[in-house]
Amino acid sequence: MRFEFSIVQDCLRAEMVGRETVEETQEFIAAVADEARKHGSSRILICVRRSRPIFRVEQYRISEQFRVLAANRGMRVALIADTDEIRAAHGYIEVLARQHEANVRAFRDEAAAIDWLKAPTLQSQEKR
């Protein structure tokens, strides 16, 4: 597995390629959280390529991350993938995230994901 980070249109872009195991997923999630803290990013685009889909969310301890995300109402996470299987898993993750009131959405393409990430939130509209 490999992953890399970049800033794209003021959003943290985290790309993961070749993830196979629970441990690799946990390593990636921890690295994304560290990178987001380091850059002060509240908009995160996660791109998953050539990886196994995640359907056993509790095994990966993703629910813990949802609680952290839900605590920060300004945080948004967009998920995109290169296969239908991973997109289906991302749809499942989105449903679970909404149950935790975390702002996570799955997208088919990067442009739509970035548009959503950059759209004003209710909090930013209330500050005007």
Side-chain angles (χ1 to χ4, degrees):
M1 173 191 74
R2 70 174 176 79
F3 52 85
E4 59 187 46
F5 301 103
S6 59
I7 302 296
V8 176
Q9 298 187 38
D10 296 326
C11 301
L12 174 63
R13 184 180 189 279
E15 182 170 7
M16 175 178 58
V17 180
R19 185 208 52 83
E20 294 290 327
T21 68
V22 171
E23 293 77 20
E24 288 174 336
T25 301
Q26 292 168 342
E27 175 187 352
F28 176 70
I29 290 169
V32 170
D34 288 345
E35 198 73 14
R37 276 190 294 277
K38 183 167 53 172
H39 290 285
S41 300
S42 62
R43 304 286 194 257
I44 303 170
L45 173 64
I46 296 178
C47 306
V48 180
R49 312 261 184 248
R50 295 189 312 273
S51 296
R52 293 181 60 194
I54 295 173
F55 288 104
R56 291 186 229 139
V57 173
E58 287 310 315
Q59 180 181 4
Y60 294 85
R61 297 195 318 230
I62 292 175
S63 289
E64 293 172 27
Q65 298 302 318
F66 292 156
R67 284 187 277 286
V68 171
L69 289 172
N72 180 351
R73 290 299 200 198
M75 178 71 72
R76 285 187 179 190
V77 177
L79 306 169
I80 62 170
D82 64 347
T83 67
D84 289 337
E85 287 178 320
I86 297 173
R87 276 191 287 277
H90 284 177
Y92 177 61
I93 290 169
E94 178 181 340
V95 168
L96 295 175
R98 285 186 183 186
Q99 290 173 354
H100 286 86
E101 298 181 358
N103 221 349
V104 177
R105 291 215 21 216
F107 293 88
R108 295 190 73 71
D109 66 83
E110 193 164 330
I114 290 173
D115 286 346
W116 176 74
L117 287 170
K118 294 189 61 87
T121 64
L122 285 176
Q123 285 180 335
S124 65
Q125 291 173 356
E126 289 170 359
K127 291 179 183 176
R128 291 183 188 170

